[in-house]
Amino acid sequence: MAARPSAAVTPDVWLDGIVSTFEEALRALPKEGEWLRLSLPGPSFAQAMAAMASLSSTGPACFWRSREGEYLLSAGEACVLEASGESRFASIRQAAAQVEARIEARTLAGAEPRPPRFLGGFAFESALRPDPRWASWAPARFALPRWTYEIDAEGQSTLSLSIAREELERGERARAIEEVRTWFKATPQGSEALAMHRLHASPRESELAAWSALVEGAQGALQPGRLEKVVLARRSEISLSSSVDPSLLWRRAVERFPSCTQFVFRSRHSSFVGASPERLVRKQGATLWTEALAGSAAVGEAEGLQRSEKNRYEHELVRAYVVDRLRSRGLRVHFAAAPRLWVLPNVAHLHTPIRSEVAPEAHVLEWVELLHPTPALCGLPVDEARAWLRAHEGLERGWYGGPVGWFDGAGNGEFAVALRCALLEASRATLYAGAGIVAASRAADEYVETEMKMAAMAALFEAEARPTLKGESAKLRRASDAEGWDANALHPHD
């Protein structure tokens, strides 16, 4: 965290010193480049959250927390990158490199130097079909935030401003100076209450019939060796009695699902909120982490999940795909011989952590492109399953199932698969969930699975917290949610 003033220095004097240093740095225009990036030690997390409420109440913002307890908050946008089509991953990477080359970075007051981060995500598909829900979202969108607040795994916080040269030339320093005061002087607020009601308290017969027909159609298309699995998605709506602050949902998600990755990406018209249990990829230096997450059951049935032939088969399809994709790039892959049981508050999964060593200069987006979409969200083989979904699913997934996260100028970054998520609008939230369909699937069971997954997000809208796990299930959760890698459980498979 930021260094606090000593007993001999009052907080106001300390803050005046910070602001004076910041103001002096703003007076010096970038010698080269289009953006100036200033970094200084950050305020407390409570102050940062209060500042976010003040600085980004309606504009673009991001809230992110990784499984490892790293936080990223952003307010405003200094630069926006958008792309579509099959080349969108490369287009974003190239555009970001051009922006990074035109940033002049300075550190103030002993702050740790950190490369600029771009925050955003990709839609499930390379193009979006007409759907008013997703009208203001792009197939690929990332922003260099105006303000970035981050806390690393060691608890060190940094606050950074990225500001355009033209803004400084217009003499708009006063706004930035007032904003930096807000970051350190904002008063933390109390918790808020939410009121909501679900449009459909129980599934309608027509909805169940349509789902059953879709499952039947997918199973009719399955052929050994040609199409082994298809992942179907559906959505459900929540009607809100008043507008909801997405940061409140994010804070609740952090509290209730600490072993997941919690995120909010807010545009001017809607917010994408989630607590994803699935990491697509994380790259730091020469180490790459990913995983296979497939095979699901209710918490009360968790102990039988590893004995389920259908779920073990579904999980093995995903694990084999991820491992084969990494090996196709010549990587040595490490993973456990058998999946572990991962029990979350509302659902249990089969989970296999996977790790590889990569070239340090490789960019995380290269691996995002390689692995998206996984069979856990699409099917197998991926190309055949994707073609079937495009022709028959009839649902615009938007960013559901897509990679969301961040990357930096060093090519490091982290992306989660956008699961357990909702698109939040003024008076409506649309929840998304999917289920893997194989020959042994039963439509009713898969429907219940999607409801169970949606319940995780729906519960965040309730005024009172739902009870979580009790008894033996709680023991399972504590055992399976342990953080970190078990070095003895991971073996190289060449």
Side-chain angles (χ1 to χ4, degrees):
M1 300 298 180
R4 297 289 93 192
S6 67
V9 179
T10 68
D12 284 343
V13 170
W14 175 82
L15 178 57
D16 286 343
I18 286 284
V19 171
S20 177
T21 301
F22 186 77
E23 185 175 6
E24 182 178 349
L26 281 175
R27 288 198 188 99
L29 291 175
K31 296 177 182 178
E32 296 180 358
E34 297 180 23
W35 291 274
L36 175 64
R37 179 176 169 83
L38 302 178
S39 299
L40 63 157
S44 70
F45 179 73
Q47 285 177 311
M49 289 298 294
M52 288 288 292
S54 174
L55 295 172
S56 64
S57 57
T58 58
C62 174
F63 299 81
W64 174 276
R65 178 191 172 276
S66 72
R67 292 178 188 171
E68 289 75 18
E70 299 161 336
Y71 290 80
L72 275 173
L73 310 178
S74 75
E77 296 172 335
C79 177
V80 174
L81 313 175
E82 292 189 352
S84 62
E86 296 301 327
S87 62
R88 57 189 172 141
F89 298 98
S91 296
I92 290 293
R93 187 168 71 247
Q94 292 164 5
Q98 293 172 1
V99 171
E100 290 156 12
R102 300 199 296 271
I103 296 175
E104 183 174 315
R106 305 173 191 166
T107 57
L108 310 175
E112 289 290 328
R114 299 181 189 275
R117 302 200 199 200
F118 292 81
L119 284 67
F122 299 89
F124 180 78
E125 283 289 2
S126 58
L128 296 176
R129 293 175 291 188
D131 184 332
R133 293 175 180 82
W134 296 100
S136 62
W137 297 77
R141 189 184 196 279
F142 286 81
L144 172 67
R146 176 180 175 86
W147 286 102
T148 305
Y149 174 84
E150 50 192 294
I151 302 178
D152 62 22
E154 286 71 44
Q156 196 73 27
S157 70
T158 304
L159 178 65
S160 300
L161 168 70
S162 295
I163 188 168
R165 166 189 281 271
E166 62 181 27
E167 188 173 343
L168 294 172
E169 290 175 338
R170 290 197 305 264
E172 297 185 16
R173 296 176 178 83
R175 174 188 167 199
I177 292 167
E178 187 58 34
E179 288 173 348
V180 78
R181 285 188 177 275
T182 299
W183 280 101
F184 288 93
K185 296 200 73 172
T187 303
Q189 303 296 315
S191 60
E192 304 173 47
L194 284 176
M196 57 77 75
H197 65 273
R198 196 159 187 178
L199 290 177
H200 308 296
S202 59
R204 294 173 296 175
E205 289 185 7
S206 60
E207 187 179 343
L208 285 168
W211 173 260
S212 296
L214 192 59
V215 171
E216 183 178 341
Q219 288 179 313
L222 298 179
Q223 296 181 36
R226 295 188 62 184
L227 185 59
E228 303 278 351
K229 171 186 174 181
V230 173
V231 180
L232 300 178
R234 52 179 291 264
R235 66 185 177 217
S236 183
E237 292 182 353
I238 286 177
S239 177
L240 304 170
S241 60
S242 60
S243 61
V244 174
D245 178 2
S247 70
L248 173 60
L249 300 179
W250 179 75
R251 293 197 301 269
R252 288 184 171 184
V254 169
E255 293 171 356
R256 299 187 190 185
F257 307 106
S259 56
C260 293
T261 298
Q262 307 84 17
F263 59 84
V264 170
F265 294 93
R266 186 171 68 202
S267 71
R268 296 190 181 279
H269 305 289
S270 57
S271 298
F272 190 50
V273 185
S276 176
E278 183 173 357
R279 169 179 287 161
L280 180 66
V281 64
R282 175 183 174 96
K283 177 188 174 287
Q284 185 64 42
T287 305
L288 184 79
W289 295 270
T290 182
E291 63 195 19
L293 189 77
S296 307
V299 169
E301 302 169 3
E303 292 181 347
L305 187 57
Q306 290 179 309
R307 298 191 297 272
S308 167
E309 183 175 341
K310 179 260 184 188
N311 282 290
R312 287 294 293 264
Y313 170 71
E314 187 178 344
H315 182 86
E316 175 58 24
L317 289 177
V318 176
R319 185 202 61 76
Y321 173 84
V322 174
V323 170
D324 288 347
R325 294 292 282 174
L326 294 176
R327 285 176 174 167
S328 73
R329 295 294 181 90
L331 300 184
R332 192 166 185 244
V333 185
H334 306 261
F335 59 93
R340 71 173 187 169
L341 186 63
W342 192 6
V343 184
L344 299 170
N346 67 309
V347 64
H349 297 288
L350 294 178
H351 177 232
T352 299
I354 299 169
R355 175 172 55 85
S356 290
E357 289 76 41
V358 300
E361 63 274 13
H363 200 287
V364 65
L365 289 185
E366 297 176 34
W367 309 108
V368 172
E369 182 176 12
L370 179 72
L371 296 176
H372 172 75
T374 72
L377 266 294
C378 183
L380 198 72
V382 166
D383 290 341
E384 285 76 3
R386 205 169 187 177
W388 192 94
L389 290 171
R390 286 169 174 165
H392 301 284
E393 187 175 56
L395 172 72
E396 177 50 67
R397 297 188 179 192
W399 280 30
Y400 163 69
V404 296
W406 63 270
F407 63 88
D408 65 21
N412 296 317
E414 179 174 17
F415 284 81
V417 179
L419 304 176
R420 313 296 189 269
C421 57
L423 184 66
L424 180 63
E425 299 168 275
S427 60
R428 175 181 69 177
T430 305
L431 313 183
Y432 294 83
I437 308 302
V438 294
S441 298
R442 296 177 64 249
D445 292 342
E446 304 300 342
Y447 191 96
V448 169
E449 180 179 320
T450 62
E451 286 287 294
M452 183 171 58
K453 292 172 177 176
M454 288 181 184
M457 183 55 57
L460 300 181
F461 289 86
E462 297 175 353
E464 299 296 331
R466 289 184 176 182
T468 54
L469 306 178
K470 298 180 179 179
E472 292 304 310
S473 294
K475 295 178 184 177
L476 278 172
R477 182 187 178 197
R478 286 193 295 271
S480 63
D481 279 357
E483 295 288 348
W485 292 85
D486 180 357
N488 295 322
L490 288 172
H491 309 284
H493 295 254
D494 300 315

